[in-house]
Amino acid sequence: MSLRLRYVAGVSPAKWLRAWAERRPDLPLEATRVDEPEQLADVHAGEADLAFVRLPVEEEGLHVIPLWEEIAVAVLPKDHAFADAEGLVLADLADEPRAPEQADPAMTVELVAAGTGWAMLPHGVARLHHRRDVVAVPVTDAAATRIALVWRVERDDDDIQEFVGVVRGRTARSSRSGAPAEADDARDARTERRDGGPRGRAASGRPVRTRGRGGGSGGGRRTGGQARKKGGKRR
């Protein structure tokens, strides 16, 4: 018997896998990455118990706990005029050709590297498919995406709630020591399904930060006005 987890590209579940293995060696956690178009297929089919998904999703029959936001980045060829920019706004890219978007983000990035144009991706996805011949620059006024933890309403049991506690950073004692923790989890799921949850915060409850191009967390959204650029547009 195992707890079956699915996750989309851009999510790195390693820290939760380690925490779960220490806390529940009696119940192995099986984690498998899935393509975003199929991110809920195994959950609905009963072949997965939980999933980290990229919102929005159809929430009927599911508990949904939004966790963190991912900034949007423009993936550009390394020799692009904006490649050294600290940040961009959508207007900067209005006259730039876009690469044909592919179902596989790795193929989209490959087309960018081939010089067909630029692509917009969540920061975590761009980081996963990073290549030496492309760069990822934050787009400060683009819509952020959001990662959530989901599971079926009928599959809501002590094991599921304990994993939710791991993701939220609760200790083993506070996670499943009694009814108050269970009540908190149920209330959190109901509330965050209704209002979208605390925006811009990680599973631990602390604000998520990003270091911008080339590193840092996959979550956290920058705010601000016109992006600063070190170079102008191509002539």
Side-chain angles (χ1 to χ4, degrees):
M1 182 178 178
S2 63
L3 197 63
R4 302 162 299 176
L5 174 70
R6 302 294 184 263
Y7 63 96
V8 292
V11 175
S12 300
K15 63 181 179 180
W16 298 308
L17 296 179
R18 290 193 298 268
W20 183 261
E22 293 174 359
R23 186 179 300 188
R24 290 294 306 275
D26 62 305
L27 184 63
L29 182 60
E30 168 201 317
T32 304
R33 195 172 79 194
V34 294
D35 294 333
E36 190 170 327
E38 303 298 323
Q39 61 184 352
L40 285 176
D42 285 351
V43 172
H44 285 313
E47 297 176 4
D49 303 304
L50 305 107
F52 288 105
V53 301
R54 186 166 284 112
L55 298 177
V57 296
E58 174 54 56
E59 298 185 10
E60 182 68 26
L62 298 174
H63 285 305
V64 180
I65 297 184
L67 297 173
W68 68 87
E69 283 188 338
E70 310 168 290
I71 63 170
V73 297
V75 181
L76 307 166
K78 193 173 183 179
D79 60 354
H80 194 280
F82 290 140
D84 291 329
E86 295 180 5
L88 299 169
V89 293
L90 290 171
D92 295 326
L93 301 164
D95 298 326
E96 299 287 328
R98 292 191 69 157
E101 186 175 348
Q102 307 297 306
D104 182 356
M107 293 301 299
T108 301
V109 174
E110 185 170 330
L111 290 175
V112 171
T116 63
W118 65 278
M120 185 85 76
L121 292 173
H123 182 241
V125 176
R127 184 178 57 199
L128 178 67
H129 298 295
H130 175 70
R131 301 165 46 124
R132 292 185 177 182
D133 48 4
V134 300
V135 296
V137 182
V139 182
T140 59
D141 60 346
T145 52
R146 198 163 196 188
I147 297 297
L149 180 63
V150 306
W151 66 97
R152 300 189 311 280
V153 170
E154 64 268 23
R155 180 63 179 87
D156 197 6
D157 59 21
D158 287 354
D159 294 332
I160 296 291
Q161 288 297 332
E162 187 159 6
F163 184 78
V164 173
V166 168
V167 172
R168 287 188 171 279
R170 287 198 291 267
T171 65
R173 176 175 297 182
S174 64
S175 179
R176 302 302 298 157
S177 60
E182 297 177 14
D184 287 345
D185 282 334
R187 183 174 61 252
D188 288 344
R190 289 195 300 270
T191 300
E192 296 187 37
R193 286 181 65 189
R194 183 178 65 249
D195 63 17
R199 299 185 65 82
R201 291 186 177 271
S204 63
R206 294 188 296 274
V208 180
R209 298 176 181 174
T210 180
R211 298 191 186 115
R213 178 172 61 87
S217 170
R221 184 179 184 181
R222 290 189 174 199
T223 58
Q226 181 72 21
R228 293 175 293 173
K229 298 189 289 290
K230 295 182 180 178
K233 290 188 177 181
R234 288 181 291 187
R235 297 182 179 179

